[in-house]
Every structure is written in C-alpha cells, then in structure tokens.
Amino acid sequence: MKRSSGAGRLMALSTVMAGVLMASAACGSPASSERSVTPAAEGALPRTASVNARLADANVSGVDTRLTDAKPAGAKPAGVDARLAGSKAAGSGSSGAGTAVERCRTGALAARVGAVDAGAGQRYAPLVITNRSARACWVYGFVGLIMIDRNGDALRTRTRRESVQPHRVTLRPGAGAHARIHWTEVRSGRETSCPAAARLMIIPPDEVAHLEIPFTAAVCDDGRLDITPMAPGTRL
C-alpha cells in the first residue's frame, strides 16, 4: 500500500472530491421518500480538525399564487391576497420555522467513527455525521474518504460504494445520521503488511470542504473501505 506526502495528499483529496461530485450528478435529485431524524442524546460533539467551512447563500424562489375566477359559493370576493400568511419578514428573528430545509454544509457538521464490531478479521463501524448547527438540514448519498497515517501522509484508499438505494435524511439540530464502513484486516494477494491509518478525511455528500477525525485501523485489501449511503440514526 502506497503513501504520499505534501502534494500527493492534496492530489488524493482532489481526486476523491471529483469522484463525489461526478457521482452526485449521476444520481440526480434526491429520492422523494424522506426520513426525518429527531435529536438524540449523543454526548459532547467531538473536536474536528481541518474544517474548511463554506456556507452558500440561501436561494429562495418566490411563488406567484393567483386565484382563478371560479369561486365556490360563499367564497371571499375577488382581489383577496393569496400569498402565504405564514411568510416571515427578513430580520424578524425567526429560528428557521417556515423556511425551506437546505442541504447540510460541511461547516455545520461534526463527524466521528462509532464502536467497531470485529469478527474473523472483518471490521464494521458507523461513520456518524451530526448536525451541530441551529437549523435543520439534509444529507443524501455517499461520503468521500481518504485515510491518513500518523505522519500526515495520505494512504491509498479504495472506497467502494455498496449497492444500496440512497434516501434523503433530514437532520434536526443535534441529530445524526450514519453510513456503515466495512474493512478487513486479513492480508490478501501479495500483501505482507497492512499500513496503519491514524486519521480519516471525510467529504460530506455533495460538498468540497472536508472534516478530519481520528481513525485507528490497519486496512488490508489494498486500502479498501466499503461504504453505504447516509441513513437515519447513529448506530448500525
């Protein structure tokens, strides 16, 4: 398994980000079925490093609602304003009620790897992403991953996406979603050793900026990590 430093690490990150964006374009819009997650008591959020937070300005599309001439008996006279009564004026101090839920941005998220389930050389663990902002947001699809050794060098990482249908998962403030990571510590082929990872770079779905968290593992099979799409909850 190869490692690279400096420019090699940057190139590895660029490659993974390009793959994430291409896969997102191929998947199209999120599926109509949406699963909502309520906050859970997960303890203090872990400290993350190298967070490049880029929050995009919200784009709000106006809807012109017009009444038709046909009125049922007892209806209000023509000229009634059909705009939504629940709309809020800018700067009203609303906590987000009545506004559209947007995609989760990297700067609004925290990440961690949960408890590892080990058996017969196989390892399974939940990769948990938590909404640490004050507003609800949603995630959809797969994360990008790059393993890093204790010297800060990027390790060869082969992320294989499992054939599982993605669903949009809405995260309320403090709530989390997870993806299942699988790897093996059994050497295969000509492998004589499996380089040890110390940290993991995570690129949330459809994002460019990344999170970086501790990840201690010896990943064999040429750095292969199997990953499922984001799903509700923080446990497997």
Side-chain angles (χ1 to χ4, degrees):
M1 188 177 296
K2 299 180 180 180
R3 66 172 68 175
S4 58
S5 60
R9 178 175 173 179
L10 179 59
M11 181 177 295
L13 175 59
S14 300
T15 302
V16 171
M17 290 190 294
V20 170
L21 295 176
M22 291 178 64
S24 299
C27 289
S29 301
S32 59
S33 58
E34 177 176 333
R35 305 181 183 181
S36 182
V37 180
T38 56
E42 299 178 11
L45 294 176
R47 181 175 64 86
T48 59
S50 304
V51 177
N52 180 7
R54 297 181 181 177
L55 302 177
D57 293 333
N59 294 320
V60 181
S61 300
V63 179
D64 184 12
T65 307
R66 301 181 180 177
L67 299 177
T68 60
D69 292 334
K71 305 291 183 182
K76 294 182 179 180
V80 174
D81 187 0
R83 295 186 180 90
L84 297 176
S87 60
K88 303 292 183 179
S92 63
S94 170
S95 61
T99 59
V101 177
E102 299 182 348
R103 177 167 56 81
C104 296
R105 306 289 181 173
T106 301
L109 300 173
R112 63 182 174 86
V113 174
V116 177
D117 183 11
Q122 306 303 310
R123 303 291 185 267
Y124 297 88
L127 171 61
V128 179
I129 288 182
T130 303
N131 178 10
R132 64 186 183 91
S133 75
R135 297 193 177 196
C137 62
W138 55 264
V139 291
Y140 172 82
F142 298 84
V143 299
L145 301 172
I146 299 176
M147 293 184 293
I148 303 169
D149 68 13
R150 64 181 182 179
N151 297 318
D153 297 329
L155 296 172
R156 176 168 170 78
T157 307
R158 298 192 303 124
T159 305
R160 187 184 73 87
R161 298 179 175 186
E162 297 193 11
S163 299
V164 178
Q165 176 63 43
H167 294 278
R168 190 168 74 172
V169 182
T170 298
L171 301 178
R172 298 183 184 278
H178 78 281
R180 187 189 70 187
I181 305 179
H182 164 257
W183 68 95
T184 179
E185 293 191 352
V186 178
R187 287 173 289 183
S188 63
R190 298 181 179 178
E191 288 181 325
T192 58
S193 64
C194 301
R199 302 187 66 79
L200 187 64
M201 292 175 61
I202 303 162
I203 306 168
D206 296 317
E207 283 293 281
V208 175
H210 69 274
L211 304 170
E212 188 171 325
I213 62 173
F215 179 65
T216 304
V219 181
C220 298
D221 197 10
D222 203 18
R224 173 173 164 175
L225 294 174
D226 299 330
I227 190 79
T228 61
M230 301 305 302
T234 60
R235 298 182 180 180
L236 296 179

